Amino acid sequence: MASHSRGTTGPPDDKAEAGSARALDDGDRIDRTIFDQILEMDDGDPTQEFSKGLVYDFLEQAEATFTNMDKSLADRDLEQLSHLGHFLKGSSATLGLTKVKDECEKIQNFGSHRNATGSKAEPDDDVCLDCIRSTLVVVKREYGEVEKTLRAYYHDA
């Protein structure tokens, strides 16, 4: 019988496990320790329905959140932008999406009239909105990269 890999029926063998880990290797965009903990919840299910469901729910959630961020940016709603940044920061952290989480934290801070790290007040709305605008470009790019990686991992690229 041929070696099993992710997405086939039957338990994956060690070579398939190693191959899938390499397939997910995306530099420092995905924290493997955290993501491996999510994968452990599949409990040997070769279809990986549990982890795939979490990931795909996040992808849908992120797309909707980006749409809401764009609207809130157009409306100059810093409070809502902070809330949305916080929300997406938490869900991306749960999956170990490090760079997405980091950029969302900056949006949260700017929306709260703080600098990128949250260590200093920034009272100027226009400065905060400009910082969010540029950070939103970065977070969408980072999201696009991890989305491609995750879809490829689950063989849906």
Side-chain angles (χ1 to χ4, degrees):
M1 179 180 231
S3 171
H4 292 288
S5 62
R6 300 248 182 237
T8 62
T9 57
D13 62 23
D14 291 342
K15 289 181 184 174
E17 286 291 333
S20 64
R22 282 192 303 275
L24 189 61
D25 185 18
D26 196 27
D28 56 354
R29 285 189 172 99
I30 299 174
D31 182 322
R32 279 302 307 213
T33 302
I34 294 171
F35 197 76
D36 284 347
Q37 290 173 348
I38 300 295
L39 295 177
E40 286 175 14
M41 293 181 198
D42 284 322
D43 199 29
D45 176 8
T47 65
Q48 296 182 295
E49 286 303 313
F50 181 79
S51 65
K52 185 176 182 178
L54 286 178
V55 167
Y56 279 75
D57 285 349
F58 167 79
L59 296 177
E60 282 183 33
Q61 189 179 73
E63 292 291 337
T65 302
F66 289 139
T67 298
N68 290 334
M69 284 180 170
D70 289 336
K71 181 185 179 322
S72 295
L73 188 59
D75 293 344
R76 299 176 55 87
D77 188 344
L78 287 168
E79 184 177 341
Q80 182 64 7
L81 285 160
S82 180
H83 170 74
L84 293 167
H86 175 76
F87 173 73
L88 197 54
K89 176 187 78 172
S91 55
S92 58
T94 298
L95 294 177
L97 309 182
T98 310
K99 290 192 175 188
V100 172
K101 172 193 64 86
D102 292 346
E103 297 304 315
C104 287
E105 183 172 19
K106 292 176 188 176
I107 291 171
Q108 176 186 353
N109 289 334
F110 294 135
S112 296
H113 289 95
R114 310 292 302 170
N115 66 355
T117 62
S119 63
K120 184 177 174 188
E122 175 50 70
D124 189 326
D125 284 1
D126 290 328
V127 169
C128 292
L129 289 164
D130 286 344
C131 289
I132 289 172
R133 190 172 290 108
S134 61
T135 304
L136 196 50
V137 170
V138 174
V139 75
K140 286 178 178 180
R141 183 180 63 236
E142 292 298 333
Y143 166 79
E145 292 300 317
V146 296
E147 177 191 22
K148 283 189 280 187
T149 299
L150 292 169
R151 288 189 187 280
Y153 178 80
Y154 289 106
H155 307 290
D156 292 331

